[in-house]
Amino acid sequence: MPDLEVDEETGEVYARVFYTRPYRSGDKGSCERNHELFRYVIAKGKSLDDLTQDDVNFIFSNINSYPRKSLNYQCPIDVINSMMGKDFATRLKIIKIPFKQLTFKKKLK
């Protein structure tokens, strides 16, 4: 899928696409935790069609504000901001939510 990774006209690399085998959590590493947290909010089998961008931003602001053992108990938002600049996540419309305000049980749809 080179057209997803590279702009055909300029050669600019947008992203790298990696493929994993179905039902092989070892291939996916840390994304499995993100998937688990996402499914606390949106149950498996529920349609995502009615989600708004604000809903998605809310969900992933919560997920990325949750400290991870794999990140030495830092939040993914803090790690990406330290790597890419202090407001990187904000530019993606992902905000840090204080730990005591995190919610994964709110069923949006």
Side-chain angles (χ1 to χ4, degrees):
M1 300 179 128
D3 54 327
L4 292 177
E5 294 183 353
V6 180
D7 184 308
E8 291 179 8
E9 293 179 20
T10 67
E12 177 185 1
V13 177
Y14 295 128
R16 296 277 185 220
V17 178
F18 298 93
Y19 301 93
T20 63
R21 296 167 288 184
Y23 306 107
R24 298 293 299 259
S25 62
D27 286 357
K28 299 174 198 81
S30 62
C31 77
E32 285 297 307
R33 183 67 175 144
N34 290 342
H35 182 251
E36 179 184 349
L37 294 171
F38 180 77
R39 289 302 180 191
Y40 286 153
V41 181
I42 305 293
K44 186 174 182 178
K46 296 290 182 185
S47 174
L48 305 178
D49 291 344
D50 293 333
L51 290 178
T52 66
Q53 186 62 53
D54 287 341
D55 292 335
V56 173
N57 293 346
F58 173 79
I59 292 168
F60 284 99
S61 289
N62 276 277
I63 289 172
N64 288 300
S65 294
Y66 187 74
R68 310 296 170 83
K69 181 178 181 182
S70 63
L71 298 174
N72 201 25
Y73 298 98
Q74 295 182 78
C75 303
I77 285 177
D78 295 335
V79 173
I80 195 68
N81 282 340
S82 71
M83 293 171 60
M84 303 297 290
K86 73 175 199 167
D87 294 323
F88 183 80
T90 304
R91 290 193 304 265
L92 297 174
K93 308 286 190 226
I94 304 297
I95 59 169
K96 185 169 182 181
I97 298 174
F99 184 77
K100 290 185 178 192
Q101 295 176 16
L102 293 177
T103 179
F104 300 108
K105 301 201 185 277
K106 180 178 181 183
K107 304 294 185 209
L108 295 174
K109 304 289 177 210

